[in-house]
């Protein structure tokens, strides 16, 4: 399910932020395929491979999930909880990519076993740099779990 | 005293009886008053508990409101800055000088607003959060602040002298680092353009308190404003010349006050300023 050029699943409800993240990834020369879902429910459907995501050629299982914590319908925390309760999917590296530097949010995310917590920087060059480091570490250096 | 025979009381006996009756009456009255006081006290305690509960709820609601507002304000800010920057980068060559200037101003304004939100959040959290006071090594705090400001210090060619062997104080490390960072940042920022910033940091023991001094050779502060500078949004200079949120010193004062200390400044216009913070001396917590 996980290819050598793993797919990044971006879970983000703001279309503006999706455009900015895609742009930053491209500036960072991250060539991995990117799939985007706009809310928690869709994220779970994607991971389960349920319609409309049942075609695993078009919608491969991701190597990494970038999760915004403030989402409509099924908050980021609920998605994370769900993931960590699934028999195999639970190994998926999940990184919070969020606006909140709230201490409670950070604690709660780590409590729910997030792999890493990143706060979106304001300036686009900083975002690019962050995403380049992120993909270098998690998609190339890091040993992928066997899902 | 028991007498089974009815009799006439003598004057002396009547006086004794009156005295006893009077004492009993006083005792009864005192007892009634005591009961009344106890009842009122219980009632008061109940009311205080209720009010405290209400206040805690309001505080929690404000905290939630504050952080939601900050988060919600940041989202469109990020969009503003992100796309202004994207415009510049991807289409900048299609703009003339003025067009690029406009876009850069948008980016700077978004960045200012973010700093403002950040400082407001810090300030409001200071007013509400529980503090965990402990012994804090001032030397380490100053070193951390200096590390945080490394780039700024380098850019301004600042000469910094920090005394060694500073005493231990009682406080909270994260707040102290923020306080010292704000003071150091101000020290190198509010300078006349041609002067090289020279900053000196030292501490002195004053009985059971420790005073940390941050001395600079900057613009100085007119005596009129010496207290005002510690208020929120008080700025003495235009934000174009000397960028800042106007909340930095308010955070300094509020922060040290919450730790049982105080803050102030001695200054001479044109020569420089000596900011000080005073905190309880440290030791076993």
């Amino acid at each position: 399910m996980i290819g050598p050029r793993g797919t990044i699943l971006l879970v983000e409800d703001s279309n503006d932020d999706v455009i900015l993240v895609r742009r930053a990834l491209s500036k960072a020369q991250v060539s991995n395929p990117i799939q985007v879902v706009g809310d928690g429910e869709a994220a779970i459907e994607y991971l389960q491979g349920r319609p409309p995501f049942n075609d695993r050629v078009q919608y491969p299982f991701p190597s990494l999930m970038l999760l915004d914590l403030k989402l409509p319908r099924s908050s980021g925390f609920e998605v994370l909880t769900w993931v960590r309760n699934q028999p195999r999917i639970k190994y998926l590296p999940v990184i919070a990519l969020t606006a909140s530097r709230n201490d409670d949010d950070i604690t709660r995310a780590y409590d729910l076993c997030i792999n890493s917590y990143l706060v979106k920087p304001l300036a686009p060059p900083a975002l690019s740099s962050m995403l380049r480091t992120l993909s270098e570490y998690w998609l190339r250096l890091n040993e992928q779990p066997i899902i | 005293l028991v007498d089974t025979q009815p009799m006439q009381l003598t004057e002396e006996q009547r006086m004794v009886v009156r005295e006893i009756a009077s004492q009993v009456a006083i005792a009864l009255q005192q007892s009634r008053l005591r009961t009344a006081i106890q009842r009122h006290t219980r009632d008061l305690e109940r009311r205080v508990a209720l009010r405290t509960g209400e206040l805690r709820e309001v505080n929690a609601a404000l905290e939630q409101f504050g952080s939601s507002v900050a988060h919600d304000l940041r989202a469109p800010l990020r969009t503003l800055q992100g796309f202004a920057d994207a415009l510049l980068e991807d289409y900048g060559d299609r703009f003339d000088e003025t067009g690029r200037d406009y876009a850069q101003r948008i980016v700077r304004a978004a960045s200012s607003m973010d700093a403002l939100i950040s400082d407001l959040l810090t300030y409001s959290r200071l007013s509400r959060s529980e503090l965990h006071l402990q012994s804090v090594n001032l030397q380490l705090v100053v070193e951390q602040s200096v590390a945080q400001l490394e780039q700024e210090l380098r850019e301004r060619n600042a000469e910094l002298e920090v005394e060694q062997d500073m005493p231990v104080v009682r406080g909270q490390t994260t707040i102290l680092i923020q306080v010292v960072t704000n003071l150091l940042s101000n020290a190198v920022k509010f300078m006349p353009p041609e002067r090289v910033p020279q900053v000196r940091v030292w501490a002195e023991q004053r009985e059971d308190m420790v005073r940390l001094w941050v001395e600079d050779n900057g613009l100085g502060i007119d005596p009129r404003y010496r207290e005002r500078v510690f208020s929120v949004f008080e700025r003495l200079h235009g934000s174009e010349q000397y960028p800042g949120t106007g909340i930095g010193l308010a955070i300094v004062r509020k922060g040290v006050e919450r730790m049982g200390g105080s803050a102030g400044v001695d200054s001479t216009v044109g020569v420089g300023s000596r900011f000080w913070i005073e905190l309880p001396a440290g030791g076993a917590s």
Side-chain angles (χ1 to χ4, degrees), chain B residues 6-180:
Chain B
M7 57 183 265
Q8 275 282 28
L9 292 173
T10 68
E11 190 50 46
E12 206 192 322
Q13 284 171 323
R14 241 174 266 166
M15 261 175 56
V16 171
V17 171
R18 250 184 253 127
E19 195 51 47
I20 294 174
S22 163
Q23 291 295 325
V24 170
I26 291 172
L28 270 173
Q29 180 68 324
Q30 282 183 333
S31 166
R32 266 189 223 115
L33 283 172
R34 228 194 325 273
T35 310
I37 289 174
Q38 280 172 345
R39 202 176 27 236
H40 281 231
T41 309
R42 269 197 303 276
D43 188 40
L44 225 87
E45 281 173 0
R46 235 192 323 260
R47 269 192 261 166
V48 168
L50 196 67
R51 285 292 155 76
T52 311
E54 285 170 2
L55 271 172
R56 276 212 198 95
E57 269 181 45
V58 170
N59 262 355
L62 272 173
E63 176 85 54
Q64 178 71 344
F65 175 74
S67 92
S68 297
V69 165
H71 176 83
D72 290 335
L73 280 175
R74 280 208 163 106
L77 251 188
R78 216 181 23 260
T79 307
L80 254 172
Q81 179 148 352
F83 284 103
D85 202 88
L87 255 181
L88 263 175
E89 256 194 54
D90 301 351
Y91 296 92
D93 55 349
R94 271 179 254 190
F95 287 165
D96 63 0
E97 201 60 46
T98 310
R100 277 193 290 277
D101 178 52
Y102 286 178
Q104 271 154 3
R105 285 171 192 271
I106 295 175
V107 169
R108 272 201 300 273
S111 179
S112 289
M113 190 164 161
D114 190 63
L116 202 60
I117 293 175
S118 194
D119 274 0
L120 272 173
L121 264 179
T122 303
Y123 183 78
S124 80
R125 259 200 302 265
L126 273 176
S127 312
R128 280 196 299 281
S129 56
E130 292 277 339
L131 289 188
H132 304 290
L133 300 179
Q134 51 187 165
S135 282
V136 178
N137 184 328
L138 256 186
Q139 200 77 50
L140 285 179
V141 166
V142 175
E143 276 170 26
Q144 282 261 44
S145 300
V146 171
Q148 275 188 26
L149 291 171
E150 199 201 301
Q151 192 181 10
E152 204 178 319
L153 293 170
R154 217 179 331 121
E155 277 170 10
R156 294 177 189 267
N157 291 317
E159 293 164 15
L160 179 59
E161 193 189 303
V162 178
E163 185 198 56
Q164 296 301 302
D165 298 318
M166 287 197 261
V168 168
V169 295
R170 191 162 169 68
Q172 197 192 62
T173 309
T174 39
I175 297 181
L176 263 174
I177 294 177
Q178 169 93 68
V179 164
V180 175

Side-chain angles (χ1 to χ4, degrees), chain A residues 37-111:
Chain A
V37 289
D39 63 63
E41 263 176 45
I44 293 173
E45 280 166 9
Y46 189 105
L47 292 172
Q48 285 179 316
R50 284 199 284 130
F53 306 111
N54 42 326
D55 178 358
R56 278 304 187 211
V57 171
Q58 204 185 354
Y59 301 109
F61 191 85
S63 296
L64 183 66
M65 184 160 78
L66 297 178
L67 181 63
D68 185 9
L69 293 176
K70 302 263 192 282
L71 295 170
R73 266 192 297 166
S74 238
S75 76
F77 294 115
E78 286 171 36
V79 175
L80 184 53
T81 307
W82 181 87
V83 167
R84 295 305 184 222
N85 279 320
Q86 305 310 306
R88 306 288 297 278
I89 298 176
K90 66 179 176 181
Y91 301 127
L92 174 69
V94 180
I95 298 181
L97 186 63
T98 190
S100 163
R101 190 180 269 105
N102 184 293
D103 285 348
D104 289 334
D105 285 343
I106 296 176
T107 304
R108 198 172 162 204
Y110 276 109
D111 263 337

Side-chain angles (χ1 to χ4, degrees), chain B residues 203-218:
Chain B
E204 58 189 23
Q205 192 100 24
R206 289 177 164 224
E207 287 174 14
D208 59 343
M209 302 293 274
V210 172
R211 187 175 279 209
L212 179 76
W213 292 93
V214 176
E215 183 184 65
D216 65 59
N217 60 338

